[in-house]
Amino acid sequence: MGFALEIVQADAVARYKKLTGYDVFFNFGTDEHGLKIYRKAQEEGKDPQKYCDEYAAKFNALKQALNLSYNSFIRTTDPHHIKAAQEFWQRCKANGDIYQKIYRTKYCVGCELEKTDSELENGKCLLHPENKLEIIEEENYFFRFSKYQEPLLEFYEKNPKFVVPESKFNEIKIFVQGGLQDFSISRLKNKMPWGIDVPNDPKQVMSVWFDALVNYVSATGWPDDLVKFKKWWPVVQFAGKDNLRQQTAIWQAMLMSAGLPNSKQIFIHGFITSGGQKMSKSLGNVIDPFEYVDKYGTDALRYYLLAKISPTEDGDFTREKFEETYNADLANGLGNLIKRVEALVIQKGLDLTKLKQARRNRILDEIAPLVNQYRFDEALKFIWGSIRGLDVYINRERPWELDPENANKRLGEIIVGSESLTSLLEIAEALKPFLPETAGKIEKQFSGPKIKSAAPLFPRL
């Protein structure tokens, strides 16, 4: 469900940009190397590639379940990505930023990262307390992260909107100001064979983080298709708060080392809790997005994730809260408005083709700064204000009591708008980034010339 939140947020931005005239490249994919994947495959008695194929298929199934508009799906086992990761490695090495040394460290398999004592609580990883830390002692390649403290701080200073929200930007600045430690970027192949081969060293494979982060440039064509790469890069990236350091510091230093432009912006979202607790199988509070889609519909889930989960802070998801929101906002709010207008149009026999279309969509103009700041909850709050406004207008004007000519005039204002009234079709268009299926149904039903009674958009629970 946490990943569903991230990909739906990204999808809302991609759809909004496309709706307002932008050409959009929207990519997501799977990180498929590393010790965690390798051990999972071993536990199930499967070849790691076969395990990854099954895993990728599950994530790709989200496209239909969540009605996603992405046009690129990358896997880090793709030959093109492997080639890109090796080229990236060679550029960092040529810049003097990759070297070998023997070291001993504590390692969290869940994070696929080394852990210092300051990052632990009672000797356990804060993000994966159920996992026992492992001790790694071997000769590996290291990335010269320490070299990039000042360049990163200068970059942050010149780009004050680089990380959203500001609280996370401040957090990463403090981290970098505290000094950076070089980190391991490879593993011995005889201990962990599931990874991309280190160029010119058959005994080592790249660590998953070095390999996986390169997907942002490999997805956009680098290093083979530089025309495509220059068209799209730099990009906006979406990540959870547990990826803050990797995305906003480590990856940016790697880009500097390879001589590539830094990312455009990083949006960091929070976690989803359930009943105030972290989701875990042992607590039995894990929420399956596919189950909610099957029972309540795709747009109902998209609405809750975008409207009721804070874009930047942790948010809570329970069935009780979800169903309360479903009935209040979707069934009794938007759904009820559509059925009211439908009944009035049928009763008055209104010919929809005679309605004069409204000018520029005012709602899209109003929510533009909110979407650009990733305030999806505030954007939907504004749209629902317009929905309530139409309900108030209907109650005041009482078109069912008017003669046909005046009733049709009022209904026309409700459907296509007037100088003072936001219309149903404006609302439908503004919903396209957030509830695309629902928006399409409304537009189709009210495209005319005559409409018929349709099934409720959101049947009451």
Side-chain angles (χ1 to χ4, degrees), residues 116-137:
T116 62
D117 288 340
S118 64
E119 295 175 298
L120 305 176
E121 188 173 282
N122 298 322
K124 295 182 179 294
C125 171
L126 293 172
L127 296 175
H128 302 93
E130 71 281 1
N131 290 354
K132 183 179 179 181
L133 291 174
E134 301 188 10
I135 304 298
I136 294 177
E137 188 169 6

PDB file of all heavy atoms in Angstrom, residues 116-137:
ATOM      1  N   THR A 116      25.816   2.405  10.946  1.00  0.00           N
ATOM      2  CA  THR A 116      26.680   2.829  12.027  1.00  0.00           C
ATOM      3  C   THR A 116      25.910   2.713  13.336  1.00  0.00           C
ATOM      4  O   THR A 116      24.678   2.626  13.355  1.00  0.00           O
ATOM      5  CB  THR A 116      27.133   4.285  11.825  1.00  0.00           C
ATOM      6  OG1 THR A 116      25.975   5.133  11.846  1.00  0.00           O
ATOM      7  CG2 THR A 116      27.843   4.455  10.486  1.00  0.00           C
ATOM      8  N   ASP A 117      26.616   2.740  14.452  1.00  0.00           N
ATOM      9  CA  ASP A 117      25.961   2.596  15.761  1.00  0.00           C
ATOM     10  C   ASP A 117      24.953   3.720  15.995  1.00  0.00           C
ATOM     11  O   ASP A 117      23.924   3.518  16.656  1.00  0.00           O
ATOM     12  CB  ASP A 117      27.015   2.592  16.870  1.00  0.00           C
ATOM     13  CG  ASP A 117      27.824   1.288  16.893  1.00  0.00           C
ATOM     14  OD1 ASP A 117      27.332   0.280  16.333  1.00  0.00           O
ATOM     15  OD2 ASP A 117      28.939   1.297  17.432  1.00  0.00           O
ATOM     16  N   SER A 118      25.232   4.906  15.448  1.00  0.00           N
ATOM     17  CA  SER A 118      24.317   6.044  15.639  1.00  0.00           C
ATOM     18  C   SER A 118      22.989   5.855  14.906  1.00  0.00           C
ATOM     19  O   SER A 118      22.016   6.538  15.208  1.00  0.00           O
ATOM     20  CB  SER A 118      24.990   7.342  15.170  1.00  0.00           C
ATOM     21  OG  SER A 118      25.255   7.286  13.780  1.00  0.00           O
ATOM     22  N   GLU A 119      22.972   4.933  13.949  1.00  0.00           N
ATOM     23  CA  GLU A 119      21.743   4.677  13.180  1.00  0.00           C
ATOM     24  C   GLU A 119      20.937   3.525  13.762  1.00  0.00           C
ATOM     25  O   GLU A 119      19.910   3.146  13.201  1.00  0.00           O
ATOM     26  CB  GLU A 119      22.107   4.341  11.729  1.00  0.00           C
ATOM     27  CG  GLU A 119      22.761   5.474  10.969  1.00  0.00           C
ATOM     28  CD  GLU A 119      23.219   5.055   9.585  1.00  0.00           C
ATOM     29  OE1 GLU A 119      24.075   4.162   9.478  1.00  0.00           O
ATOM     30  OE2 GLU A 119      22.696   5.618   8.607  1.00  0.00           O
ATOM     31  N   LEU A 120      21.382   2.976  14.877  1.00  0.00           N
ATOM     32  CA  LEU A 120      20.730   1.805  15.480  1.00  0.00           C
ATOM     33  C   LEU A 120      20.079   2.177  16.810  1.00  0.00           C
ATOM     34  O   LEU A 120      20.444   3.150  17.457  1.00  0.00           O
ATOM     35  CB  LEU A 120      21.760   0.691  15.708  1.00  0.00           C
ATOM     36  CG  LEU A 120      22.568   0.248  14.484  1.00  0.00           C
ATOM     37  CD1 LEU A 120      23.604  -0.786  14.881  1.00  0.00           C
ATOM     38  CD2 LEU A 120      21.652  -0.307  13.394  1.00  0.00           C
ATOM     39  N   GLU A 121      19.097   1.388  17.172  1.00  0.00           N
ATOM     40  CA  GLU A 121      18.452   1.532  18.481  1.00  0.00           C
ATOM     41  C   GLU A 121      18.412   0.162  19.125  1.00  0.00           C
ATOM     42  O   GLU A 121      17.837  -0.785  18.570  1.00  0.00           O
ATOM     43  CB  GLU A 121      17.034   2.083  18.311  1.00  0.00           C
ATOM     44  CG  GLU A 121      16.371   2.441  19.637  1.00  0.00           C
ATOM     45  CD  GLU A 121      15.038   3.127  19.439  1.00  0.00           C
ATOM     46  OE1 GLU A 121      15.014   4.336  19.126  1.00  0.00           O
ATOM     47  OE2 GLU A 121      14.010   2.430  19.581  1.00  0.00           O
ATOM     48  N   ASN A 122      19.051   0.049  20.282  1.00  0.00           N
ATOM     49  CA  ASN A 122      19.192  -1.260  20.947  1.00  0.00           C
ATOM     50  C   ASN A 122      19.829  -2.288  20.018  1.00  0.00           C
ATOM     51  O   ASN A 122      19.455  -3.470  20.011  1.00  0.00           O
ATOM     52  CB  ASN A 122      17.832  -1.763  21.441  1.00  0.00           C
ATOM     53  CG  ASN A 122      17.205  -0.839  22.465  1.00  0.00           C
ATOM     54  OD1 ASN A 122      17.895  -0.281  23.314  1.00  0.00           O
ATOM     55  ND2 ASN A 122      15.890  -0.668  22.382  1.00  0.00           N
ATOM     56  N   GLY A 123      20.765  -1.784  19.201  1.00  0.00           N
ATOM     57  CA  GLY A 123      21.498  -2.674  18.308  1.00  0.00           C
ATOM     58  C   GLY A 123      20.723  -3.141  17.101  1.00  0.00           C
ATOM     59  O   GLY A 123      21.155  -4.042  16.387  1.00  0.00           O
ATOM     60  N   LYS A 124      19.561  -2.523  16.837  1.00  0.00           N
ATOM     61  CA  LYS A 124      18.725  -2.942  15.705  1.00  0.00           C
ATOM     62  C   LYS A 124      18.449  -1.780  14.764  1.00  0.00           C
ATOM     63  O   LYS A 124      18.404  -0.617  15.187  1.00  0.00           O
ATOM     64  CB  LYS A 124      17.410  -3.532  16.200  1.00  0.00           C
ATOM     65  CG  LYS A 124      17.554  -4.828  16.984  1.00  0.00           C
ATOM     66  CD  LYS A 124      16.210  -5.383  17.397  1.00  0.00           C
ATOM     67  CE  LYS A 124      16.347  -6.686  18.164  1.00  0.00           C
ATOM     68  NZ  LYS A 124      16.888  -7.759  17.316  1.00  0.00           N
ATOM     69  N   CYS A 125      18.216  -2.094  13.486  1.00  0.00           N
ATOM     70  CA  CYS A 125      17.855  -1.085  12.501  1.00  0.00           C
ATOM     71  C   CYS A 125      16.479  -0.519  12.836  1.00  0.00           C
ATOM     72  O   CYS A 125      15.544  -1.273  13.157  1.00  0.00           O
ATOM     73  CB  CYS A 125      17.851  -1.710  11.092  1.00  0.00           C
ATOM     74  SG  CYS A 125      17.174  -0.628   9.802  1.00  0.00           S
ATOM     75  N   LEU A 126      16.346   0.799  12.754  1.00  0.00           N
ATOM     76  CA  LEU A 126      15.069   1.433  13.094  1.00  0.00           C
ATOM     77  C   LEU A 126      13.960   1.044  12.123  1.00  0.00           C
ATOM     78  O   LEU A 126      12.791   0.965  12.500  1.00  0.00           O
ATOM     79  CB  LEU A 126      15.237   2.956  13.086  1.00  0.00           C
ATOM     80  CG  LEU A 126      16.150   3.533  14.179  1.00  0.00           C
ATOM     81  CD1 LEU A 126      16.386   5.012  13.944  1.00  0.00           C
ATOM     82  CD2 LEU A 126      15.547   3.302  15.555  1.00  0.00           C
ATOM     83  N   LEU A 127      14.318   0.804  10.857  1.00  0.00           N
ATOM     84  CA  LEU A 127      13.311   0.469   9.851  1.00  0.00           C
ATOM     85  C   LEU A 127      13.005  -1.023   9.799  1.00  0.00           C
ATOM     86  O   LEU A 127      11.932  -1.428   9.369  1.00  0.00           O
ATOM     87  CB  LEU A 127      13.768   0.943   8.464  1.00  0.00           C
ATOM     88  CG  LEU A 127      13.920   2.456   8.290  1.00  0.00           C
ATOM     89  CD1 LEU A 127      14.496   2.777   6.919  1.00  0.00           C
ATOM     90  CD2 LEU A 127      12.578   3.149   8.470  1.00  0.00           C
ATOM     91  N   HIS A 128      13.968  -1.845  10.204  1.00  0.00           N
ATOM     92  CA  HIS A 128      13.781  -3.297  10.150  1.00  0.00           C
ATOM     93  C   HIS A 128      14.219  -3.926  11.479  1.00  0.00           C
ATOM     94  O   HIS A 128      15.170  -4.721  11.523  1.00  0.00           O
ATOM     95  CB  HIS A 128      14.570  -3.904   8.986  1.00  0.00           C
ATOM     96  CG  HIS A 128      14.207  -3.334   7.653  1.00  0.00           C
ATOM     97  ND1 HIS A 128      14.873  -2.267   7.090  1.00  0.00           N
ATOM     98  CD2 HIS A 128      13.221  -3.672   6.778  1.00  0.00           C
ATOM     99  CE1 HIS A 128      14.327  -1.976   5.924  1.00  0.00           C
ATOM    100  NE2 HIS A 128      13.331  -2.797   5.706  1.00  0.00           N
ATOM    101  N   PRO A 129      13.542  -3.582  12.587  1.00  0.00           N
ATOM    102  CA  PRO A 129      13.963  -4.098  13.901  1.00  0.00           C
ATOM    103  C   PRO A 129      13.820  -5.606  14.037  1.00  0.00           C
ATOM    104  O   PRO A 129      14.426  -6.206  14.924  1.00  0.00           O
ATOM    105  CB  PRO A 129      13.034  -3.357  14.864  1.00  0.00           C
ATOM    106  CG  PRO A 129      11.833  -2.995  14.048  1.00  0.00           C
ATOM    107  CD  PRO A 129      12.365  -2.712  12.673  1.00  0.00           C
ATOM    108  N   GLU A 130      13.014  -6.204  13.133  1.00  0.00           N
ATOM    109  CA  GLU A 130      12.816  -7.652  13.208  1.00  0.00           C
ATOM    110  C   GLU A 130      13.994  -8.421  12.613  1.00  0.00           C
ATOM    111  O   GLU A 130      14.136  -9.633  12.828  1.00  0.00           O
ATOM    112  CB  GLU A 130      11.520  -8.043  12.480  1.00  0.00           C
ATOM    113  CG  GLU A 130      11.556  -7.930  10.951  1.00  0.00           C
ATOM    114  CD  GLU A 130      11.396  -6.515  10.431  1.00  0.00           C
ATOM    115  OE1 GLU A 130      11.270  -5.591  11.258  1.00  0.00           O
ATOM    116  OE2 GLU A 130      11.392  -6.332   9.201  1.00  0.00           O
ATOM    117  N   ASN A 131      14.847  -7.708  11.855  1.00  0.00           N
ATOM    118  CA  ASN A 131      15.989  -8.355  11.204  1.00  0.00           C
ATOM    119  C   ASN A 131      17.234  -8.292  12.077  1.00  0.00           C
ATOM    120  O   ASN A 131      17.531  -7.247  12.671  1.00  0.00           O
ATOM    121  CB  ASN A 131      16.309  -7.688   9.855  1.00  0.00           C
ATOM    122  CG  ASN A 131      15.248  -7.962   8.815  1.00  0.00           C
ATOM    123  OD1 ASN A 131      14.316  -8.732   9.047  1.00  0.00           O
ATOM    124  ND2 ASN A 131      15.376  -7.316   7.675  1.00  0.00           N
ATOM    125  N   LYS A 132      17.968  -9.378  12.141  1.00  0.00           N
ATOM    126  CA  LYS A 132      19.243  -9.389  12.845  1.00  0.00           C
ATOM    127  C   LYS A 132      20.309  -8.791  11.938  1.00  0.00           C
ATOM    128  O   LYS A 132      20.426  -9.152  10.765  1.00  0.00           O
ATOM    129  CB  LYS A 132      19.623 -10.821  13.228  1.00  0.00           C
ATOM    130  CG  LYS A 132      20.913 -10.905  14.033  1.00  0.00           C
ATOM    131  CD  LYS A 132      21.219 -12.358  14.404  1.00  0.00           C
ATOM    132  CE  LYS A 132      22.527 -12.425  15.192  1.00  0.00           C
ATOM    133  NZ  LYS A 132      22.870 -13.832  15.556  1.00  0.00           N
ATOM    134  N   LEU A 133      21.059  -7.830  12.460  1.00  0.00           N
ATOM    135  CA  LEU A 133      22.138  -7.234  11.674  1.00  0.00           C
ATOM    136  C   LEU A 133      23.223  -8.265  11.402  1.00  0.00           C
ATOM    137  O   LEU A 133      23.525  -9.107  12.248  1.00  0.00           O
ATOM    138  CB  LEU A 133      22.741  -6.041  12.426  1.00  0.00           C
ATOM    139  CG  LEU A 133      21.839  -4.812  12.571  1.00  0.00           C
ATOM    140  CD1 LEU A 133      22.516  -3.782  13.463  1.00  0.00           C
ATOM    141  CD2 LEU A 133      21.531  -4.201  11.222  1.00  0.00           C
ATOM    142  N   GLU A 134      23.795  -8.206  10.245  1.00  0.00           N
ATOM    143  CA  GLU A 134      24.857  -9.128   9.863  1.00  0.00           C
ATOM    144  C   GLU A 134      26.196  -8.394   9.848  1.00  0.00           C
ATOM    145  O   GLU A 134      26.245  -7.181   9.602  1.00  0.00           O
ATOM    146  CB  GLU A 134      24.565  -9.734   8.486  1.00  0.00           C
ATOM    147  CG  GLU A 134      23.245 -10.496   8.464  1.00  0.00           C
ATOM    148  CD  GLU A 134      23.035 -11.261   7.167  1.00  0.00           C
ATOM    149  OE1 GLU A 134      23.993 -11.349   6.369  1.00  0.00           O
ATOM    150  OE2 GLU A 134      21.928 -11.765   6.970  1.00  0.00           O
ATOM    151  N   ILE A 135      27.245  -9.116  10.117  1.00  0.00           N
ATOM    152  CA  ILE A 135      28.593  -8.552  10.086  1.00  0.00           C
ATOM    153  C   ILE A 135      29.253  -8.940   8.767  1.00  0.00           C
ATOM    154  O   ILE A 135      29.335 -10.120   8.429  1.00  0.00           O
ATOM    155  CB  ILE A 135      29.448  -9.046  11.267  1.00  0.00           C
ATOM    156  CG1 ILE A 135      28.764  -8.726  12.598  1.00  0.00           C
ATOM    157  CG2 ILE A 135      30.847  -8.431  11.200  1.00  0.00           C
ATOM    158  CD1 ILE A 135      28.564  -7.244  12.847  1.00  0.00           C
ATOM    159  N   ILE A 136      29.673  -7.938   8.025  1.00  0.00           N
ATOM    160  CA  ILE A 136      30.368  -8.164   6.755  1.00  0.00           C
ATOM    161  C   ILE A 136      31.831  -7.770   6.933  1.00  0.00           C
ATOM    162  O   ILE A 136      32.125  -6.678   7.429  1.00  0.00           O
ATOM    163  CB  ILE A 136      29.733  -7.348   5.616  1.00  0.00           C
ATOM    164  CG1 ILE A 136      28.314  -7.855   5.327  1.00  0.00           C
ATOM    165  CG2 ILE A 136      30.587  -7.405   4.356  1.00  0.00           C
ATOM    166  CD1 ILE A 136      27.588  -7.067   4.258  1.00  0.00           C
ATOM    167  N   GLU A 137      32.723  -8.674   6.572  1.00  0.00           N
ATOM    168  CA  GLU A 137      34.156  -8.389   6.625  1.00  0.00           C
ATOM    169  C   GLU A 137      34.784  -8.910   5.343  1.00  0.00           C
ATOM    170  O   GLU A 137      34.916 -10.121   5.146  1.00  0.00           O
ATOM    171  CB  GLU A 137      34.804  -9.034   7.852  1.00  0.00           C
ATOM    172  CG  GLU A 137      36.250  -8.608   8.046  1.00  0.00           C
ATOM    173  CD  GLU A 137      36.806  -9.040   9.397  1.00  0.00           C
ATOM    174  OE1 GLU A 137      36.099  -9.764  10.125  1.00  0.00           O
ATOM    175  OE2 GLU A 137      37.929  -8.646   9.716  1.00  0.00           O
TER     176      GLU A 137
END
